[in-house]
Amino acid sequence: MSDSIPDNDNDYVRLISSDGYEYAISRAAAFVSVTLRGMLDRNSSFVESQQNRVNLTTINGVLLEKVCEYLYYNLKHKNNPGNIPEFDVPPEMALELLVASDYLDV
């Protein structure tokens, strides 16, 4: 669990898994997800936008870690139309990751 980022730091948001793991990621990485962008938009009425934290009750900690890796991977390569390296997905995690990516709209 990550406690190194203060709760009031608007450059980072916290994603909390169903089993209580917290991941502090940059707002830019979180905004790769259309769902998270909508929840964290400062103009929205969602409580998540005021607290800079999102409880993801259907995603466990191991899966959420992989989701965070993908959000950063996508952000890093979004303006690189060339040879993008393959994102490694363990076969045993593929179906759950597909469901999570559908929910998060990434």
Side-chain angles (χ1 to χ4, degrees):
M1 294 190 208
S2 174
D3 289 321
S4 61
I5 306 298
D7 283 335
N8 63 355
D9 187 347
N10 289 332
D11 292 336
Y12 287 85
V13 297
R14 290 181 186 270
L15 304 181
I16 299 120
S17 69
S18 61
D19 48 357
Y21 287 93
E22 293 186 25
Y23 298 91
I25 67 169
S26 73
R27 182 173 286 277
F31 275 33
V32 167
S33 162
V34 175
T35 303
L36 294 176
R37 186 181 324 133
M39 296 169 107
L40 294 166
D41 184 337
R42 289 186 173 97
N43 296 321
S44 77
S45 59
F46 289 109
V47 68
E48 289 87 353
S49 68
Q50 295 164 12
Q51 295 178 348
N52 285 325
R53 57 189 296 132
V54 178
N55 289 308
L56 297 164
T57 58
T58 59
I59 301 175
N60 69 39
V62 173
L63 190 60
L64 185 54
E65 181 177 15
K66 197 63 166 176
V67 167
C68 291
E69 285 177 29
Y70 179 76
L71 294 173
Y72 276 110
Y73 168 86
N74 187 298
L75 185 63
K76 177 181 178 181
H77 297 291
K78 92 176 186 184
N79 293 324
N80 181 9
N83 291 333
I84 298 174
E86 196 169 308
F87 184 74
D88 182 45
V89 175
E92 65 276 6
M93 191 183 282
L95 183 58
E96 288 178 299
L97 199 55
L98 180 63
V99 171
S101 68
D102 184 50
Y103 170 71
L104 295 171
D105 200 359
V106 292

